[in-house]
Amino acid sequence: MKAAPFEYIRAESLEHVLERLSQHGMDAKAIAGGQSLVPMMAMRLARPTVLLDIYRLPELRQVNIEPDRVRMGATTRQRAIEYEIDLHKALPLVRDAVRWVGHIQTRNRGTVGGSLVHADPSAELPLAATVLNATLRLRSQADGERQIPAQEFFLGPMFTATAETECLVEIEWPVWQGAVATAFEETAMRHGDFAMASAACQLQLDEDGICRRAAFGVGGVDGTPRAFPELARQLVGQRIDESVAREIAQIALQQTEPGSDLHADADYRRHLGVVMLTRVLLKAAQSHHSAPALQH
Amino acid sequence: MSFSPVNVEIKVNGVIQPRTVEPRTTLVDFLRDHLGLTGTHVGCEHGICGACSVLLDGEPVRSCCMFAVQADGMSVTTVEGLAPQRGCLSKMQDAFCETHALQCGYCTPGMLIACHALVERTPQPTEAQIRDAIGGNLCRCTGYQQIVDAVKLATSPGYEVKSAQAKGSGVAHG
Amino acid sequence: MVDPKHPAYKAFKYIGRSRRAVEHRRFVTGQGHYAADVVQPGLLHVAIVASPYASARILSIDSSAALALPGVHAVLTGEELNSAISPMLPGVDAPKVARYPLAQGVVRYAGEWVVAVVAESRALAEDASELVCIEYEQTPHAVDPEAAMAPDAPQVHPAHGGNIIWHRKFTWGPVDEHFAAAEHQLSYRVRWARSSTVPIETFVATCSWNDATQILDVWASIQMPKYPDLLAKCLHLPGNGVRVHYDVDVGGSYGVKRGLKHTILVGFLARKLGRPVRFLEDRLENMRGGDMQGPDRIFDVSFAFDGDGTVRSMRMRAIDDIGAYAGRSPLQLGKPVGAIVGPYRIASVEYDAYSVMTNKTPQEAVRGFGQAPTNYAIETGIDRIARYLGMDPIELRRKNLIDKDSFPYLIPSGTYYDSGDYEAVMDKALAAAPYGDLLKQRETLRAQGLLAGIGVSTCLEPSGGNSAFEPLFNPKNETTTWMDSCLIRIDLNGAVTALMGTSTAGQAHETLVSTVVGEVLQREPDSIRVLHADSLNSLPSNSPVGSRMAIMLGGAAAGAAKILRDKLLTIAAHNLEVAKDALTYEDGSVYLQSNPARRMSWDALVEIAHRKYHCMPEGMEPGLQEKFCWEVPSGGKMPTEDGRVQMYPCHSFESHVVLASIDQQTGKTHLHRYVVGHDCGVMISPDVVHGMTYGGVAHGLGAALLEKFAFSEEGQLLSGTFMDYLLPSAQEVPSITIVDHCTPSPLTEFGQKGSGEAGYLGGPAAIASAINDALAPVGANIDELPMTPQAVWRALRAAGVKEAQ
């Protein structure tokens, strides 16, 4: 399983990358950690003739934590989220998600941007981005920079709104003001596998335990991760108990179109989606702390 | 379109190794075929089995999931570089021998890399942490039990390397 | 761990002790010598073009573009190859089911090799393989084995006449009578899905042909009886024209590394091209076309039993889907004949076995050679009988287990079980759990809203190997030899070297042999070097299959060492001028019992043997080198007309106790406790035995819960990568406790039995037992492996369980 031949270019700057992408179009691909791309190239499912290595560009690896947002360079490594305490505090849901991503070796090389652009419908970071409706910044030589909300970025399995000549440069994660409760659950065949179904939820409750703000979504049960902002609004003013959680989860999953594969067919996935979503809603509702505890 | 070979300088087990490689040569193939370091093994070439694990700038990665050119200027440690010096074993290597943590030996280099990296971060890991650290290294011989035992042993207080070059053992083929 | 109180171990100085394996030192430092590590100057590399279709005619092959690519040396088709070689034939009488490394005219499974491309590098060979143009015309295919048995089904090998490559119905004892007389009967079907032991190293073969010496050198990751001989035959070389280097470390095999077709291809290419050639299967080639998939069975079983739980008789029909070609795969229905009643006193058995061809990847030998699926089928029945009668499944087993005073015990199909104490092993496992705690934990888990169950299995591990299933399944194949050998030399410096004649895939044979030789010669095992001969300078071996090496290689090493020890005694007697029986041999030196001051040291004896012919007894050969080659104990007999034969000599035994819970909402199983009671007689290397048992449990867990080679209706392999074929990691395999018992074998030197298949043979049965115990209270059950979360969920949903809706 050896990749088809290609030309390798170590990017000297972001401009350099954009220029080459512009020049080569779909024959070129940017490579960051390569944890998804290299296996696909080994199986010759992906055959770029030009590989642009963006992994070491400092401008794509900056992380700025601000009171209301975190601006994260696209090649920020997944391990950064795993190990950096400041990011845990600012982005507890993303931290919850990263725990489920692959194995240590994957997270040491893999990047946040890489996972988003690869857009596996079962992947954890795309789900977190969708639920929080992060803002993704893309740049091309011809059109400069544009931004797109995560809920419009994922278009289908392994397919995003990124144009051939564009490079994802930054993810801007919103930070909710005040205490949040988060939960991320997934069920997979083995630990570290892609989820058969996953769910993520971020809530704010008042002192009486009433929901004041909510965001939730499911992964692995459709062609892209799915968030439910309208349904989330319906949770405001409610106390989230088992029956509330289950009812919302069932309505949400009715709106999905799960696929089938060897391990999980559509019916089973939809059922798992309801189970996972119910669980995260309850877990978050029952755990409202001011500072997210480091989960084991 | 030219798929020109690229000059790389990768520090492997402490020694800088300048070579010229095809871009599509993976890091594992570079180590094995260009440097003759056959201790790192190929099991799947699609990033699942972990047999190809090496330390890249001190952290475990799958060397089948990167091209050698991506590692230019970086530092790689393979299983051949884990022992403190020639003729000796690291505590982890020694503990693997003591608890019988291997059989065919094929996954063992990658397993040792993962375990070395674990104890760098977490000097006294729990069983759950050990299983998590080796969760990306598949073994078909051992059922993992004695590997877990080895890591516990290697990290137990006062563990000393027991093996001197045993009489008559060592390279037993050829 | 080793039971130090067991009297059998008291006799030994080295056997049964914890000892570091000799092999490990090179593996932990990355100094292993695997087939892919063998570098030959001028090495060329092979990539394969495989059939995309399950069944098709090959209309044309155009290699011109591939050959034109710089760096490509050859593009080989079946037409060229097959005319120059002899085919591989099945282990049963089916001469029309011939297999060649490359397809010719037709393809019979998706993944079958059609063209081999040889180039300067593997990457180039893959580039070139994409340029080969093959035109196919698809033809009807058969993927369901039951459908394939119908006379009008698409025929995989039309010349054979039907897809049933082999069938026989055995009746041992008065089955009809016992069924008629019994108070109750029950019947069920279970399915054992195709899985395999999938080593992390794929198959690799490197061949190099020397025009001057006319020797084909072979370095391969092989575990296969008669490999050099079959290779030579197929390549039309004399037997002494092939040299297989057994000192290649094999990265795991567990039965499957039978790469004869790979090696024939590579051997042919090496001769044709005059360059060394290597084929290193990549994982895609390995999964789809490496022909290493295991048994794929449908069992229909009926038991006849009485109300008090006594099991009277069993009828078992086994249909095994062997795929498009047959190697030894049909014989995997034969080995279980030697333990067809499991550990139970069942008086009669009907065994109706079908080996069926379909348009799928061919099946090959897998750890246990068919025993694990058979044990699963039998144990399912025992649990069902218990449930039917409202009896405790442990008490039901207790009632039917062969008791310890009945050995050697003759089972209806003609095998004597040599020794055992099955109840003691089961009780040890239950005590180690401890069972009382498991019962409480099961209640606690149930109170938490989970389904929870305890599973028990009690299963035979036949060991020692034998060729007996070959004549059993093919009366034209009159063969009864199944031997192994060892040569030991003591050199002029007094160092001991032993030579074994087959490959090792993690079983620590060097450690085994040096322990045994050390025991007999009373010399420090770490001072004894063990080498792997090559196939030209080795003594005969039948490979590490059938859990045979502790018995056969251990026995051969002991035999040779005993001859040497006796020779040393004879030299001493001659030089001390006393009778041999007046002497004591101790740690390599010899002294007069009545006057220990009169002694001869090891070094002195060695010197005499090597340098002082004038001090040697009359007629004795100079030097110190002795060999021993022996036949499997209790072997050497042909089967009877009604198919009874002594299958394997020695019978190890295992009892698993498992506590499992099931999440009712997801169907996911979690194993909370896993205990194995194990008896393989005297363990020569306990650490090695335990290691393989843990590994066998992991293999069993994979087969039970995760692993399946799934095929589409079109015969396409759906689980052809490690993303879909799921191997358990350290997160899926629980902590395992092993408790040992020892019933020495009367047939072996030290009382050892074999144990290379331990854990795997009883594991899936125990996990299924636990899951079905968990499902029983809600009226659900599963009789098909793997018991994936989706499969469990479907069973729960079908039973109306609320949380699964």
Side-chain angles (χ1 to χ4, degrees):
Chain A
M1 288 158 72
K2 311 297 179 193
F6 58 86
E7 189 189 342
Y8 173 81
I9 297 169
R10 167 83 49 78
E12 290 152 17
S13 67
L14 186 53
E15 284 66 48
H16 181 207
V17 176
L18 299 179
E19 182 206 311
R20 297 312 290 261
L21 283 173
S22 178
Q23 184 187 347
H24 298 288
M26 64 179 271
D27 290 334
K29 255 194 112 45
I31 185 169
Q35 299 305 285
S36 310
L37 183 57
V38 177
M40 284 178 59
M41 290 175 71
M43 291 192 265
R44 301 200 176 201
L45 296 172
R47 315 172 64 113
T49 46
V50 177
L51 209 59
L52 297 161
D53 188 349
I54 60 172
Y55 197 67
R56 301 190 209 190
L57 288 176
E59 56 263 54
L60 294 184
R61 202 167 271 194
Q62 304 292 321
V63 175
N64 289 306
I65 302 177
E66 299 170 25
D68 61 345
R69 60 185 175 165
V70 173
R71 299 182 57 176
M72 181 180 284
T75 63
T76 301
R77 289 190 297 162
Q78 291 156 12
R79 78 182 299 283
I81 301 176
E82 199 180 349
Y83 291 118
E84 281 161 38
I85 308 272
D86 292 338
L87 282 172
H88 299 173
K89 290 185 179 150
L91 300 175
L93 184 62
V94 183
R95 198 262 165 181
D96 289 349
V98 153
R99 281 181 55 223
W100 294 93
V101 174
H103 298 102
I104 287 170
Q105 291 98 324
T106 340
R107 299 191 297 271
N108 280 336
R109 266 313 271 179
T111 62
V112 176
S115 175
L116 296 181
V117 167
H118 183 66
D120 189 296
S122 305
E124 294 82 1
L125 288 168
L127 175 59
T130 302
V131 167
L132 294 176
N133 207 15
T135 301
L136 306 181
R137 294 208 164 83
L138 302 158
R139 223 183 270 178
S140 71
Q141 187 184 53
D143 302 316
E145 185 169 294
R146 66 178 178 118
Q147 55 188 53
I148 178 168
Q151 288 174 10
E152 292 167 32
F153 179 72
F154 300 102
L155 301 179
M158 326 309 240
F159 180 40
T160 69
T162 316
E164 269 162 32
T165 55
E166 278 182 320
C167 183
L168 177 69
V169 297
E170 183 178 272
I171 304 107
E172 183 182 295
W173 301 93
V175 174
W176 291 10
Q177 302 307 300
V180 298
T182 62
F184 192 106
E185 288 268 327
E186 76 175 50
T187 181
M189 289 293 285
R190 295 172 305 177
H191 193 95
D193 283 345
F194 281 122
M196 293 187 284
S198 54
C201 150
Q202 180 157 300
L203 302 176
Q204 279 181 317
L205 309 176
D206 65 23
E207 314 79 59
D208 301 320
I210 306 292
C211 178
R212 288 293 150 220
R213 190 176 178 191
F216 59 83
V218 286
V221 295
D222 212 320
T224 68
R226 296 289 310 279
F228 303 92
E230 280 89 49
L231 286 177
R233 276 192 278 282
Q234 289 179 31
L235 279 180
V236 173
Q238 291 201 59
R239 183 183 309 280
I240 300 173
D241 62 16
E242 164 104 46
S243 75
V244 169
R246 176 164 283 276
E247 201 191 316
I248 282 270
Q250 275 163 346
I251 297 169
L253 268 298
Q254 283 309 312
Q255 298 175 13
T256 63
E257 273 185 50
S260 285
D261 74 1
L262 196 53
H263 306 299
D265 66 16
D267 278 345
Y268 180 52
R269 274 181 201 267
R270 183 176 280 111
H271 167 81
L272 287 177
V274 172
V275 173
M276 292 294 111
L277 187 51
T278 306
R279 286 185 185 178
V280 298
L281 288 168
L282 270 180
K283 188 168 176 193
Q286 285 158 7
S287 77
H288 52 285
H289 292 297
S290 54
L294 277 172
Q295 287 160 43
H296 59 84
Chain B
M1 184 66 57
S2 88
F3 306 125
S4 343
V6 175
N7 295 326
V8 294
E9 273 190 18
I10 305 175
K11 188 187 235 181
V12 182
N13 298 331
V15 177
I16 297 180
Q17 301 276 8
R19 292 289 191 284
T20 305
V21 293
E22 265 193 280
R24 63 172 165 171
T25 303
T26 57
L27 181 59
V28 65
D29 285 345
F30 173 77
L31 294 167
R32 292 181 54 81
D33 300 335
H34 290 251
L35 302 185
L37 292 168
T38 55
T40 305
H41 298 146
V42 173
C44 72
E45 292 185 299
H46 55 283
I48 310 276
C49 76
C52 67
S53 300
V54 297
L55 297 177
L56 183 69
D57 285 353
E59 293 166 347
V61 298
R62 302 185 200 277
S63 61
C64 76
C65 284
M66 25 184 327
F67 300 111
V69 289
Q70 292 176 276
D72 183 34
M74 298 178 83
S75 159
V76 173
T77 306
T78 68
V79 62
E80 291 96 337
L82 290 179
Q85 63 196 63
R86 206 181 126 189
C88 296
L89 298 180
S90 70
K91 277 193 187 173
M92 192 62 70
Q93 288 168 315
D94 190 72
F96 266 54
C97 294
E98 183 67 20
T99 68
H100 205 87
L102 60 147
Q103 293 172 36
C104 81
Y106 201 74
C107 78
T108 304
M111 205 57 89
L112 283 167
I113 292 284
C115 292
H116 266 257
L118 168 68
V119 303
E120 278 291 301
R121 273 192 321 272
T122 312
Q124 308 263 269
T126 62
E127 175 152 349
Q129 288 170 320
I130 296 169
R131 287 181 182 270
D132 187 63
I134 63 172
N137 292 77
L138 297 176
C139 174
R140 291 300 266 173
C141 290
T142 68
Y144 309 103
Q145 182 67 54
Q146 291 150 316
I147 296 173
V148 172
D149 294 343
V151 180
K152 285 182 180 168
L153 181 64
T155 55
S156 58
Y159 182 73
E160 297 289 336
V161 168
K162 289 186 181 53
S163 71
Q165 188 77 19
K167 298 188 284 284
S169 72
V171 176
H173 57 73
Chain C
M1 289 298 147
V2 174
D3 180 356
K5 298 190 224 43
H6 195 283
Y9 287 98
K10 285 198 170 15
F12 306 122
K13 185 166 181 184
Y14 299 113
I15 284 174
R17 299 288 175 273
S18 198
R19 176 189 171 207
R20 289 194 178 197
V22 164
E23 293 85 345
H24 292 180
R25 189 151 180 121
R26 66 181 179 270
F27 294 146
V28 297
T29 52
Q31 305 293 308
H33 182 66
Y34 300 91
D37 301 341
V38 173
V39 177
Q40 295 278 311
L43 186 66
L44 296 175
H45 301 260
V46 177
I48 295 291
V49 183
S51 166
Y53 302 117
S55 178
R57 271 186 281 279
I58 301 170
L59 298 178
S60 66
I61 301 176
D62 181 358
S63 321
S64 50
L67 277 165
L69 200 64
V72 172
H73 285 246
V75 178
L76 184 68
T77 64
E79 203 177 312
E80 181 187 344
L81 172 66
N82 301 350
S83 57
I85 61 175
S86 293
M88 295 165 277
L89 291 174
V92 293
D93 183 19
K96 299 285 195 278
V97 181
R99 177 160 58 157
Y100 294 89
L102 297 177
Q104 187 177 355
V106 295
V107 287
R108 296 187 169 92
Y109 66 100
E112 181 167 7
W113 301 351
V114 183
V115 168
V117 176
V118 188
E120 297 280 330
S121 71
R122 169 75 195 201
L124 271 171
E126 289 186 29
D127 295 342
S129 69
E130 291 184 316
L131 300 175
V132 176
C133 290
I134 307 179
E135 261 192 272
Y136 296 95
E137 183 189 344
Q138 285 187 74
T139 49
H141 57 274
V143 288
D144 177 86
E146 287 180 289
M149 288 164 77
D152 59 348
Q155 309 249 302
V156 183
H157 291 265
H160 176 75
N163 291 323
I164 299 173
I165 189 175
W166 184 88
H167 166 239
R168 186 167 170 183
K169 185 170 182 173
F170 299 89
T171 306
W172 301 297
V175 175
D176 289 342
E177 216 179 277
H178 288 163
F179 265 78
E183 288 164 25
H184 303 283
Q185 286 188 32
L186 58 76
S187 300
Y188 57 93
R189 167 174 277 209
V190 285
R191 286 200 78 134
W192 172 283
R194 228 173 227 242
S195 57
S196 189
T197 47
V198 191
I200 304 295
E201 180 201 45
T202 59
F203 194 84
V204 189
T206 300
C207 291
S208 178
W209 171 256
N210 186 309
D211 282 329
T213 61
Q214 297 277 298
I215 295 178
L216 184 75
D217 277 294
V218 179
W219 297 267
S221 56
I222 191 69
Q223 182 206 12
M224 179 175 182
K226 305 194 167 68
Y227 168 70
D229 317 276
L230 292 168
L231 182 61
K233 266 217 173 84
C234 289
L235 286 175
H236 300 168
L237 288 171
N240 58 13
V242 170
R243 178 164 53 199
V244 174
H245 295 265
Y246 290 128
D247 63 346
V248 167
D249 292 315
V250 180
S253 175
Y254 338 101
V256 308
K257 287 201 167 142
R258 308 288 171 117
L260 183 60
K261 85 172 185 187
H262 307 54
T263 317
I264 293 169
L265 173 68
V266 176
F268 175 85
L269 286 166
R271 280 177 83 189
K272 173 186 160 84
L273 299 173
R275 295 266 295 262
V277 177
R278 175 201 286 168
F279 177 45
L280 197 171
E281 280 181 326
D282 71 19
R283 187 54 69 180
L284 298 176
E285 283 159 344
N286 166 264
M287 297 291 269
R288 202 161 78 126
D291 300 353
M292 55 81 174
Q293 300 177 5
D296 185 355
R297 295 211 181 157
I298 302 169
F299 291 96
D300 290 298
V301 186
S302 299
F303 275 102
F305 54 100
D306 291 338
D308 68 352
T310 308
V311 178
R312 297 274 172 215
S313 185
M314 177 180 77
R315 288 198 176 105
M316 176 183 279
R317 186 180 75 155
I319 296 171
D320 198 7
D321 177 349
I322 63 159
Y325 295 94
R328 284 174 85 69
S329 42
L331 301 172
Q332 290 197 107
L333 284 166
K335 179 260 183 72
V337 164
I340 197 72
V341 295
Y344 306 114
R345 272 189 325 273
I346 302 173
S348 63
V349 176
E350 178 186 282
Y351 181 55
D352 193 12
Y354 290 85
S355 185
V356 180
M357 296 184 287
T358 60
N359 294 104
K360 292 190 192 132
T361 306
Q363 182 190 121
E364 193 43 89
V366 165
R367 194 173 196 175
F369 212 63
Q371 193 66 53
T374 310
N375 288 346
Y376 164 63
I378 295 169
E379 290 296 283
T380 298
I382 300 296
D383 280 350
R384 280 186 170 236
I385 293 170
R387 209 160 279 132
Y388 180 99
L389 293 174
M391 257 183 98
D392 180 323
I394 291 167
E395 293 317 305
L396 179 66
R397 284 174 168 82
R398 214 183 279 290
K399 190 164 183 64
N400 286 283
L401 287 173
I402 298 162
D403 74 85
K404 66 184 197 307
D405 299 318
S406 303
F407 292 89
Y409 181 86
L410 180 63
I411 67 172
S413 53
T415 291
Y416 278 94
Y417 292 169
D418 58 336
S419 67
D421 185 350
Y422 304 146
E423 196 173 351
V425 179
M426 183 177 74
D427 281 336
K428 269 190 172 166
L430 291 167
Y435 187 62
D437 283 7
L438 294 197
L439 287 168
K440 289 193 199 115
Q441 259 189 286
R442 183 175 63 176
E443 288 324 300
T444 307
L445 290 163
R446 286 175 175 173
Q448 289 168 2
L450 295 161
L451 297 173
I454 297 171
V456 176
S457 71
T458 43
C459 296
L460 259 289
E461 285 173 52
S463 68
N466 198 347
S467 54
F469 44 71
E470 292 183 44
L472 183 69
F473 274 32
N474 182 4
K476 289 184 191 167
N477 182 8
E478 285 199 10
T479 179
T480 56
T481 309
W482 205 247
M483 58 183 157
D484 229 284
S485 331
C486 186
L487 171 78
I488 304 175
R489 43 185 300 266
I490 305 170
D491 62 35
L492 177 51
N493 292 335
V496 182
T497 304
L499 205 60
M500 56 178 284
T502 186
S503 58
T504 303
Q507 307 96 321
H509 296 138
E510 296 161 44
T511 306
L512 169 78
V513 171
S514 53
T515 301
V516 165
V517 174
E519 183 72 49
V520 174
L521 291 181
Q522 296 179 31
R523 304 292 287 178
E524 171 59 53
D526 278 346
S527 72
I528 296 166
R529 187 177 297 278
V530 181
L531 296 181
H532 289 76
D534 62 53
S535 63
L536 287 183
N537 58 29
S538 72
L539 296 173
S541 169
N542 276 301
S543 265
V545 295
S547 289
R548 63 188 291 272
M549 295 304 261
I551 295 165
M552 295 306 296
L553 180 58
K562 277 159 73 174
I563 300 173
L564 269 174
R565 187 179 68 198
D566 187 67
K567 184 162 178 175
L568 292 168
L569 268 165
T570 306
I571 294 171
H574 177 75
N575 282 271
L576 291 172
E577 294 173 312
V578 296
K580 241 162 60 174
D581 55 21
L583 295 172
T584 297
Y585 177 99
E586 189 177 87
D587 296 340
S589 41
V590 180
Y591 61 84
L592 191 59
Q593 275 151 28
S594 58
N595 181 6
R598 293 198 62 213
R599 68 189 318 140
M600 297 196 67
S601 69
W602 173 269
D603 290 342
L605 292 166
V606 169
E607 248 229 327
I608 290 172
H610 276 280
R611 296 185 67 244
K612 298 187 175 176
Y613 195 74
H614 58 284
C615 299
M616 289 285 270
E618 175 115 9
M620 182 178 272
E621 272 180 24
L624 289 167
Q625 55 288 323
E626 296 296 338
K627 66 164 170 51
F628 192 77
C629 181
W630 72 313
E631 161 73 350
V632 59
S634 79
K637 300 179 204 63
M638 292 286 291
T640 60
E641 282 276 311
D642 62 341
R644 281 178 296 122
V645 73
Q646 177 72 34
M647 194 60 71
Y648 285 10
C650 305
H651 295 81
S652 300
F653 175 78
E654 56 194 77
S655 178
H656 298 228
V657 178
V658 178
L659 173 67
S661 68
I662 298 173
D663 179 326
Q664 296 191 65
Q665 295 186 315
T666 63
K668 213 161 173 210
T669 298
H670 180 81
L671 301 181
H672 296 264
R673 185 83 175 105
Y674 203 114
V675 178
V676 184
H678 189 232
D679 176 4
C680 60
V682 169
M683 292 182 283
I684 295 170
S685 313
D687 297 317
V688 174
V689 173
H690 293 145
M692 291 206 275
T693 307
Y694 291 128
V697 168
H699 273 150
L701 187 153
L705 298 176
L706 291 168
E707 298 178 37
K708 181 173 179 175
F709 285 105
F711 287 83
S712 72
E713 299 266 293
E714 297 309 308
Q716 298 297 325
L717 179 62
L718 300 172
S719 40
T721 72
F722 283 176
M723 290 184 282
D724 294 307
Y725 188 92
L726 305 178
L727 306 178
S729 77
Q731 304 272 41
E732 281 72 51
V733 182
S735 260
I736 303 159
T737 300
I738 298 173
V739 282
D740 295 307
H741 190 66
C742 178
T743 55
S745 174
L747 301 174
T748 59
E749 178 70 32
F750 310 111
Q752 77 274 28
K753 299 177 181 174
S755 73
E757 295 152 343
Y760 184 60
L761 296 191
I767 296 174
S769 176
I771 287 181
N772 281 315
D773 185 53
L775 294 175
V778 297
N781 91 303
I782 296 201
D783 282 324
E784 184 166 345
L785 303 187
M787 298 169 287
T788 61
Q790 177 170 250
V792 173
W793 174 72
R794 284 191 179 142
L796 290 172
R797 197 165 64 150
V801 171
K802 181 170 136 296
E803 286 81 349
Q805 303 309 324

